[in-house]
Amino acid sequence: LPAPEVSIFQFLFPDTPSDSPVRQFDPELPAYIDGFTGYTLSRRQLKDNALRLATGLRTLGFRRGDVACLWGMNSIPWVEAAYGLLAAGIRITPANYAYEPSEIAHQLNNSGANLILLDPSTLERWEKARAQLDRPIPDEHVLLLAQPGALPAGTPYKSVYDHFGVSPSAPETFNGVQAHETAWQCYSSGTTGLPKGVETTQHNIVAQLQGLAEIYEPLESGKDVILGILPMSHIYGLAIVLLRPLTIGVPVVVLPKYEEHSVLSAVGKYRVTHAPVVPPIVLSLVNSPNVHKYDLSSLKTFLAGAAPMSAELSQAFEKRFPHIAVIQAYGMTETSPVQTAMSAARSKPGSCGQLVAGFTARLVGEDGKDVDLGEPGELWVQGPCVMKGYWKNPEATRKTFSDDGKWFKTGDIMVVDADGFYTVVDRSKELIKYKGFQVAPAELEALLLQHPKVHDAGVIGVWEESQATELPRAYVVAAPDSGVSHEHAHQHHSFIEEIKAWVASRVANHKKLRGGIAVIEVIPKSPSGKILRKDLRVRAKTE
Ligand code: AYL
């Protein structure tokens, strides 16, 4: 069934049931629950508040197609702001909470955001970022994600709730939002280079929500409860924590991050049944000495995604927690996001599931031909969830599709079995995944080159079994006048510590060089100057 040509907001809250195939639930059902305070937002409040905020933003002068940056940890105000922006048809560019000033400034400059909604805890970083903007954002366009009574003393900014229109416009006012307009702009490096704005349309998401209905773990309104710890600023949290639960009438317990005590306590308190996570969380629970202190009896499924998870890890988890099934899904920011998924009833350990409805897939070998069944090939896909393209970057957009423009090339090497279960076996792209977060080697390399003592640099990911994740590792060539030679290992320690700290103070937590730094003579490169990361990977294995 093709997805309807409506906006996300209309799909979720249709004016008349015939507008949308989404089942409508009792408006008094809980939609989002604050995992710390228990404060609960019903579906009706969510919709009303979204329309109020949309009206308020219109009054402030914002129009469809404007760009707003949402910057904060998961919270009820973040959720309300997102739905208000959706109702108003304002493009949302969500930013990672941990960003340092230059990182957020880059996203604001690149996206052209003229409205920023931020968590008060980011204010210190925001003031520093502000000095780096190409185009200033006036104070009236900076809204804090907190109740007016909870704003920091002396702040020049208003609360997002100050802009709840007095009398919300009727939904029809906002129905001009077109299905093929961009709804979200997350940042992803894709297969190569620096992070780029991914233009995810309203229709991409509507098609995804519809596609997931058929294959994902089926959840039941009134029975199931979803854990909302994955950052909603990342496409995984956006699709699975922020949006999908509304389509199935299931509440989300919102928490800012994975922290064992607060999360496991909330699981017991709110009888959470389904937990979307990343593989390192699965591992930490397998190894945790504390789990007996919590009531985890309500849990039925753990969904792992965004990074590889071995069959051994999922089996170790199911051995320790026999009443919980671990299922896996696979996706990409560029594909809105889930391409393959499984349910507890239809699963295969180590695999990331079967194709989501709407996608057509091929596995293509290095010769450009489809591989035989069971052979590894790069996953190419097409369908209504594939992004419009990279924002203001037609060159990168063109390169990420096949020459005929018809197939999106994922850069992931997969095998598929006769039952249609896909398994990721390798990655042909540059990307590093630290606990599900993207780390673009090109970004760290460009940063390292700014250090006066660094002459050249190459960054790769190294697998760390004890944490079930890759770690970013740098190879650097010291500048001739740095007083450091690759031959004199005794000089390396303080040089490495200096570089490590220098990088750490400039990047978000997940980009830190946790895989270490090695001083080498020369970065291996192809005749055209491309870093031969394969050679660095071979080197890392022998170190
Ligand atoms: P991005 N196994 C192995 N690698 C994976 C998996 C997986 N299950 N899922 C994602 N990746 C890698 O844009 C892969 O290299 O989106 C892919 O190209 O940050 C890259 O991560 C994309 O990174 C889910 C499950 C969303 C997954 C996602 C995708 C989020 C990651 C919802 O339920």
Side-chain angles (χ1 to χ4, degrees), residues 191-211:
T191 53
T192 180
L194 298 173
K196 299 168 274 287
V198 175
E199 288 199 66
T200 304
T201 66
Q202 303 272 345
H203 187 71
N204 288 156
I205 294 283
V206 167
Q208 167 82 179
L209 292 172
Q210 189 166 296

Side-chain angles (χ1 to χ4, degrees), residues 369-414:
K369 297 200 179 103
D370 291 54
V371 298
D372 292 331
L373 185 72
E375 293 295 316
E378 184 185 8
L379 177 70
W380 290 16
V381 296
Q382 53 182 216
C385 298
V386 176
M387 65 165 180
K388 194 178 201 170
Y390 291 118
W391 170 244
K392 289 194 174 160
N393 200 336
E395 174 72 5
T397 304
R398 193 178 53 72
K399 282 195 181 142
T400 202
F401 284 87
S402 58
D403 291 343
D404 62 9
K406 288 185 181 156
W407 297 89
F408 173 77
K409 303 192 282 182
T410 65
D412 289 307
I413 309 297
M414 300 252 200

Side-chain angles (χ1 to χ4, degrees), residues 187-190 208 212 216 230 234-237 239-240 276-277 279 303-309 328-341 350-352 410-412 414 423-427 429 431 433 436-438 470:
Y187 277 70
S188 164
S189 61
Q208 167 82 179
L212 287 179
Y216 229 56
L230 292 179
H234 181 247
I235 195 89
Y236 184 177
I240 303 308
V277 296
L303 165 72
M309 183 179 68
Q328 208 179 156
Y330 155 87
M332 267 178 93
T333 308
E334 288 83 346
T335 54
S336 311
V338 186
Q339 300 170 58
T340 68
S351 130
C352 51
T410 65
D412 289 307
M414 300 252 200
T423 301
V424 180
V425 292
D426 200 1
R427 209 183 275 147
K429 55 187 164 189
L431 182 66
K433 274 303 184 83
F437 288 112
Q438 287 202 6
E470 286 169 273

Side-chain angles (χ1 to χ4, degrees), residues 58-90:
R58 287 286 160 99
T59 313
L60 201 59
F62 289 99
R63 294 288 173 268
R64 249 175 67 207
D66 281 332
V67 183
C69 177
L70 255 183
W71 190 27
M73 299 178 276
N74 287 1
S75 68
I76 298 291
W78 196 105
V79 168
E80 292 206 90
Y83 279 95
L85 293 164
L86 272 180
I90 293 172

Side-chain angles (χ1 to χ4, degrees), residues 16 24 27-28 63 195 215 223 292 357 434 447-448 488 534:
T16 58
Q24 295 302 302
E28 299 313 320
R63 294 288 173 268
I215 189 154
K223 286 201 176 144
H292 65 274
Y434 175 72
L447 179 63
L448 284 163
H488 302 306
K534 260 195 190 136

Side-chain angles (χ1 to χ4, degrees), residues 498-516:
E498 179 186 340
I499 305 282
K500 212 173 179 175
W502 186 85
V503 169
S505 69
R506 284 165 177 77
V507 297
N509 182 49
H510 60 278
K511 299 180 195 168
K512 288 182 186 171
L513 292 168
R514 291 183 162 83

